[in-house]
Amino acid sequence: MIAKINEAVTYIQQKQPVKPAVGIVLGSGLGSFTGEMEVTQEIPYSAIPHFPVSTVEGHSGKLIFGKLGGKEVVAMAGRFHYYEGYSPEEVVFPIRVMKYLGITHLLISNAAGGMNASFKVGDLMIITDHISLLAVNPLLGKNIDELGPRFPDMSEPYNKELVKTAKKIAAAAGIEVKQGIYCGVTGPTFETRAEYKLLRTIGGDAVGMSTVQEVIAAIHVGLTVFAMSVITDIGIREEENKITHAEVLEAATAAEPKLTLIFKTLIAQLS
Ligand code: HPA
């Protein structure tokens, strides 16, 4: 694993020698975020040694390097989901590569379904904690001591200071943000009505099919993490309850400018 990470890092550094400070993972419908970056280099995943190969045709992911909020960043345009058939190790490979490229902070976005009754479509939710449900732990197997400890502490996966700062940034910009607990599931089915209710009962505010494995790997390697969901659909409602991928993408795209502003300002304020 370490050899694979090093090969990927060596390849990337030949193309792009500047060390990024912050890594960004962009969720569904949140890709145009990179329009805000002063882009210096784009590297397709397909060119990077050992990077997972995209299973979705015409869905070419890339690493985008550049400046945002006055800092050197690397953004993943396109992430790997467990439901696509990638192993948990493949899902988190890019996180480990970004760590070895030099990042200290990881900012994650995702699209999620709302369960909290006060949420509506288009809301932003700062993730304060998560519940991993059936999202297979990427650290299963022999521990790679060079990456991190056997039993990582998960009492504060989402950095409290960054949560505080992000709330201040949102308030100053007049952006309403919610906060809550993200339930990570495998998908690819959206939840049944009974499942949304179950997730609410156990303390979840939102549910999605990404993020948890990435955050576990990030904490394992000692990164400071901040994550935010765009609420793209409401799971618990009495009326007609069909949820489509198109609806999810549309809501995410509409909320993107607000999320971008918060991420960008947060990056500018990182020390
Ligand atoms: N459930 C799971 N994942 C999701 C949802 C949802 O309702 N919306 C966006 N991603």
Side-chain angles (χ1 to χ4, degrees):
M1 173 59 68
I2 299 292
K4 282 184 181 175
I5 295 169
N6 281 329
E7 278 175 44
V9 166
T10 303
Y11 173 84
I12 293 165
Q13 284 174 337
Q14 276 166 11
K15 302 250 162 205
Q16 204 295 125
V18 182
K19 181 174 144 177
V22 183
I24 304 166
V25 184
L26 302 166
S28 308
L30 300 165
S32 72
F33 179 86
T34 50
E36 289 284 315
M37 283 172 60
E38 261 174 65
V39 176
T40 52
Q41 181 70 264
E42 296 190 358
I43 306 177
Y45 294 158
S46 57
I48 305 171
H50 311 297
F51 243 63
V53 178
S54 180
T55 57
V56 189
E57 227 170 294
H59 189 282
S60 59
K62 55 191 173 184
L63 283 184
I64 304 178
F65 291 84
K67 267 201 163 164
L68 185 70
K71 297 208 168 56
E72 295 294 341
V73 305
V74 51
M76 285 180 70
R79 59 146 58 101
F80 300 98
H81 301 89
Y82 186 57
Y83 65 73
E84 291 174 89
Y86 299 108
S87 68
E89 265 189 10
E90 287 175 312
V91 169
V92 304
F93 186 72
I95 307 295
R96 291 171 167 167
V97 167
M98 290 194 287
K99 163 74 182 183
Y100 274 61
L101 284 171
I103 67 164
T104 53
H105 291 73
L106 182 67
L107 272 53
I108 295 183
S109 64
N110 61 50
M115 273 109 52
N116 184 317
S118 76
F119 289 6
K120 54 188 189 310
V121 170
D123 275 352
L124 295 178
M125 183 189 91
I126 293 173
I127 301 179
T128 54
D129 206 347
H130 74 224
I131 299 174
S132 174
L133 288 155
L134 312 177
V136 178
N137 197 303
L139 307 184
L140 283 176
K142 190 170 167 3
N143 186 53
I144 305 165
D145 295 335
E146 196 176 327
L147 289 178
R150 170 75 290 187
F151 301 109
D153 174 72
M154 289 295 280
S155 60
E156 192 187 322
Y158 304 88
N159 184 267
K160 283 199 178 111
E161 280 306 310
L162 293 186
V163 168
K164 240 195 255 173
T165 309
K167 280 160 78 174
K168 278 191 204 148
I169 290 167
I175 297 170
E176 190 199 355
V177 284
K178 305 280 176 33
Q179 65 173 49
I181 294 170
Y182 176 91
C183 292
V185 295
T186 67
T189 42
F190 291 116
E191 289 62 44
T192 63
R193 286 168 188 265
E195 286 165 345
Y196 282 118
K197 281 186 185 152
L198 167 79
L199 298 179
R200 181 63 187 147
T201 305
I202 62 169
D205 295 288
V207 53
M209 307 174 195
S210 65
T211 302
V212 165
Q213 292 169 322
E214 295 156 351
V215 171
I216 290 171
I219 294 300
H220 187 227
V221 295
L223 294 173
T224 302
V225 176
F226 174 80
M228 212 154 67
S229 295
V230 177
I231 304 301
T232 55
D233 52 271
I234 297 296
I236 299 178
R237 51 183 175 180
E238 291 312 316
E239 70 275 26
E240 194 262 327
N241 203 35
K242 286 218 161 45
I243 296 167
T244 64
H245 185 53
E247 179 183 67
V248 166
L249 288 181
E250 192 185 312
T253 306
E256 183 172 38
K258 294 189 286 180
L259 182 127
T260 302
L261 188 135
I262 294 171
F263 270 25
K264 187 177 163 179
T265 316
L266 189 61
I267 290 169
Q269 293 185 15
L270 290 177
S271 48

